[in-house]
Amino acid sequence: MAASDTGIRASAPGRVNLIGDHTDYTGGLVLPMVIDRETTVTGTWIEEPRWTIRSDDMAEPATFSVPVVDPAAVRPPWARYVAGVIAEFENLGAVVPGFEGEVRTTIPICSGLSSSAALEVAVARIILQASTASFAPTEVALACQRAEQRATGVPCGIMDQLSIVSGRRGSATLIDCHDLSIEYVDIPDSIEFDIRFVHDRALADSAYAERVDQCAAIEEEIGPLRSADVDVLSRISVDVLRRRARHVISENRRVRDFTAALRSADVVTAGDLMTKSHWSMAHDYETSTPEMDRAVEAALREPDVFGARMTGGGFGGCIVVMRTKRSRSASVE
Ligand code: GLA
């Protein structure tokens, strides 16, 4: 490929999860939607087998040779997301040429809006422009999920990558994380979702991995959480595991009910389910923080708000608020 092949460009949006958090890694239901903030990678193919990407948000550029041998060893750490995606596509048979360019993003970093997944998907879309093989959207999402897991060591689920790869502006994406099937859910005209940043995420990686382990321990005791009902809770002997299971089981139910409520434009029921989801995460799953709880309570005191909850992995980040429509459909304040 010649260095004069200029003008390579690919983008991917961030996502907000409307409801269904910490359900994806047990094959449950999630309902995210893409937002009006995105990450864009631009650059040129080069002869040398090396990737170099600069970012105004990062002190050091991501630079490493291709093929990628060990993405987890690449420095600086943000380069691991890029190298991880390349390594995954190389494993799938793609031949990835050298590239030089830059990345820009309007997605706030470390705020639970999937800036890392957006970077992964944008890099994947760059790679696909050089590839003769084609990949289904689900394969792209799974490759990006594996890249994130290898880059960070965190056993994340599929929600972020799949919602970004398959999202449509203005609709939410109902994902069954067991069979990866997707349905689009229209947002009623009368409402919109505000995304409000509360504080940076802290200790998120270790606490996330602990929740994943706890769910695995629960499933050893009672079988798959995705198909469990609340009557199994009495069989779980350890209190903390019983509460974790109650969140996951009730959250899957809330995703179903919220989807039905949106489809029938029952915004009062939908808002109530969002708020219940927040308190389930705060009390049973313990992924909220006092500041996030206060932000939810403050939002609920506003006259045109129907419901509010923290969104994403938790331990900081953003809350999502469902309110009477002012102008746009999903925006970061
Ligand atoms: C993070 C993970 C997702 C999902 C959410 C919680 O965003 O990357 O896979 O588990 O947390 O719902």
Side-chain angles (χ1 to χ4, degrees):
M1 198 143 318
S4 58
D5 282 348
T6 54
I8 310 296
R9 176 190 185 89
S11 300
R15 68 96 189 94
V16 63
N17 193 21
L18 301 183
I19 198 160
D21 271 310
H22 291 277
T23 47
D24 60 349
Y25 46 82
T26 46
L29 300 173
V30 295
L31 190 71
M33 76 187 279
V34 289
I35 61 172
D36 57 0
R37 301 284 188 108
E38 63 180 13
T39 295
T40 302
V41 177
T42 52
T44 54
W45 300 117
I46 58 171
E47 299 286 356
E48 198 192 342
R50 164 161 290 277
W51 271 56
T52 302
I53 302 192
R54 294 179 176 75
S55 162
D56 286 348
D57 297 313
M58 300 293 169
E60 286 178 63
T63 181
F64 50 84
S65 354
V66 286
V68 173
V69 180
D70 179 7
V74 168
R75 297 194 63 80
W78 77 272
R80 292 174 194 157
Y81 297 103
V82 181
V85 175
I86 295 169
E88 288 303 328
F89 277 93
E90 286 171 336
N91 282 347
L92 294 171
V95 177
V96 181
F99 182 83
E100 195 166 313
E102 63 174 344
V103 57
R104 288 176 189 276
T105 191
T106 53
I107 307 169
I109 294 168
C110 277
S111 57
L113 300 177
S114 289
S115 57
S116 61
L119 173 60
E120 290 149 16
V121 174
V123 169
R125 288 175 172 164
I126 291 279
I127 295 168
L128 294 179
Q129 292 181 34
S131 169
T132 48
S134 61
F135 297 91
T138 307
E139 277 181 285
V140 174
L142 286 166
C144 290
Q145 179 198 18
R146 290 193 299 271
E148 168 111 17
Q149 292 175 338
R150 281 171 83 175
T152 60
V154 178
C156 68
I158 189 65
M159 169 171 73
D160 303 346
Q161 291 80 10
L162 190 51
S163 62
I164 289 171
V165 165
S166 56
R168 291 183 187 161
R169 286 274 160 89
S171 300
T173 314
L174 175 65
I175 304 174
D176 179 328
C177 297
H178 180 59
D179 62 13
L180 305 187
S181 59
I182 281 173
E183 283 175 42
Y184 294 100
V185 181
D186 290 339
I187 306 299
D189 283 343
S190 58
I191 56 159
E192 65 181 2
F193 295 96
D194 279 348
I195 301 159
R196 301 182 184 173
F197 177 71
V198 181
H199 65 89
D200 276 344
R201 302 175 68 206
L203 297 175
D205 291 356
S206 56
Y208 186 96
E210 185 195 65
R211 298 300 185 280
V212 173
D213 287 346
Q214 287 173 331
C215 284
I218 295 165
E219 293 197 314
E220 273 189 20
E221 210 169 336
I222 61 155
L225 270 164
R226 68 187 158 81
S227 49
D229 217 321
V230 281
D231 54 14
V232 299
L233 292 173
S234 58
R235 285 171 35 206
I236 303 172
S237 44
V238 179
D239 174 65
V240 67
L241 296 185
R242 195 165 50 245
R243 288 188 289 117
R244 302 294 189 251
R246 186 165 59 194
H247 166 72
V248 176
I249 295 168
S250 62
E251 187 79 345
N252 280 325
R253 174 88 249 164
R254 281 187 290 271
V255 177
R256 276 195 199 89
D257 294 347
F258 181 87
T259 301
L262 278 193
R263 284 181 166 150
S264 58
D266 180 355
V267 295
V268 172
T269 299
D272 187 48
L273 287 161
M274 284 178 74
T275 306
K276 286 195 168 107
S277 165
H278 178 80
W279 294 116
S280 175
M281 287 187 285
H283 299 140
D284 279 349
Y285 221 67
E286 295 177 287
T287 51
S288 187
T289 65
E291 294 93 323
M292 307 279 279
D293 294 348
R294 282 198 289 277
V296 164
E297 282 164 342
L300 292 170
R301 284 196 289 273
E302 294 168 28
D304 50 356
V305 164
F306 296 99
R309 64 189 289 280
M310 51 147 282
T311 181
F315 311 101
C318 292
I319 62 166
V320 55
V321 176
M322 191 178 109
R323 58 180 298 142
T324 308
K325 189 169 200 163
R326 286 176 300 199
S327 55
R328 296 153 303 176
S329 61
S331 56
V332 183
E333 292 200 328

